[in-house]
Amino acid sequence: MYNWSTNLRALKKDKEKYAIWKIEQLVNFGLAGEKIDEGMLRKYFLKINIDPARRKFLHLLLYGR
């Protein structure tokens, strides 16, 4: 994944912020061949900032009904 508007060097210093940012990027802007780690998605699910419809869909995939 290539991101030109974010200083990844500074962001990688805080592992939690970097993980949340990366999950948000993958969900919001596409995977481009990458896969989202299910464990990381479950861990940070409540902290990520995504579209409500996508959140609902991901919640259905992760936790079922």
Side-chain angles (χ1 to χ4, degrees):
M1 171 176 29
Y2 177 74
N3 193 297
W4 54 270
S5 65
T6 304
N7 184 352
L8 293 179
R9 224 180 270 158
L11 191 59
K12 284 184 180 181
K13 291 178 182 177
D14 186 350
K15 293 192 184 282
E16 183 177 6
K17 283 185 182 179
Y18 177 72
I20 292 169
W21 173 83
K22 186 168 182 177
I23 292 169
E24 287 176 354
Q25 294 297 306
L26 291 172
V27 170
N28 288 328
F29 302 112
L31 301 176
E34 286 190 56
K35 292 186 179 182
I36 299 174
D37 181 15
E38 182 181 345
M40 295 296 281
L41 184 58
R42 285 180 188 265
K43 182 176 179 180
Y44 297 116
F45 188 72
L46 296 176
K47 294 182 179 183
I48 59 176
N49 184 21
I50 57 175
D51 180 60
R54 287 184 183 175
R55 180 179 298 280
K56 199 172 185 180
F57 178 69
L58 286 173
H59 188 274
L60 179 67
L61 290 176
L62 290 173
Y63 303 110
R65 291 187 140 185

